[in-house]
Amino acid sequence: VAVDPVAILSVFRSVGADARLHALIFGESVLNDAMAIVLFKTVVSLGTKTTIGIEGWHEFGVDDFFAIVGAFCLIFVGSIAVGIIAGLALAMSLKFLRLFELQNA
């Protein structure tokens, strides 16, 4: 039975669940969505860059397997790198903007 993580998070918020549990469920949901996107992009590129979509799976070879694994790893690691760079840039900009001083004003 699949349950929507948004529903679970709203129930957690309404019952006052622990913030760490909320963060874990939210993180798992985001990671699951990201993995689905990466896997979809890999399969689509497999169908357009190889003859598997045209000729069928009997033409699937070892080089195609390594091409799939390589594309998946490249997209996955590239996405993580973009996320880390964006997160660090945002954290540094918020640190230097000193928005916490506006709260007391």
Side-chain angles (χ1 to χ4, degrees), residues 18-56:
D18 185 32
R20 287 186 296 178
L21 182 60
H22 185 276
L24 283 172
I25 297 297
F26 179 75
E28 187 276 333
S29 172
V30 170
L31 184 62
N32 190 19
D33 291 346
M35 290 297 292
I37 291 168
V38 170
L39 189 57
F40 177 78
K41 287 185 68 139
T42 304
V43 170
V44 167
S45 70
L46 172 70
T48 58
K49 293 180 182 175
T50 66
T51 60
I52 292 174
I54 299 167
E55 313 243 346

Side-chain angles (χ1 to χ4, degrees), residues 76-89:
F76 186 73
V77 171
S79 299
I80 290 175
V82 168
I84 288 172
I85 291 169
L88 288 174

Side-chain angles (χ1 to χ4, degrees), residues 55-102:
E55 313 243 346
W57 285 102
H58 63 277
E59 295 293 324
F60 185 75
V62 175
D63 55 340
D64 292 324
F65 173 76
F66 286 115
I68 294 169
V69 172
F72 181 83
C73 291
L74 181 67
I75 295 170
F76 186 73
V77 171
S79 299
I80 290 175
V82 168
I84 288 172
I85 291 169
L88 288 174
L90 181 63
M92 293 302 289
S93 64
L94 290 176
K95 178 181 177 181
F96 290 117
L97 284 175
R98 302 175 65 97
L99 293 177
F100 62 90
E101 292 176 353
L102 294 177

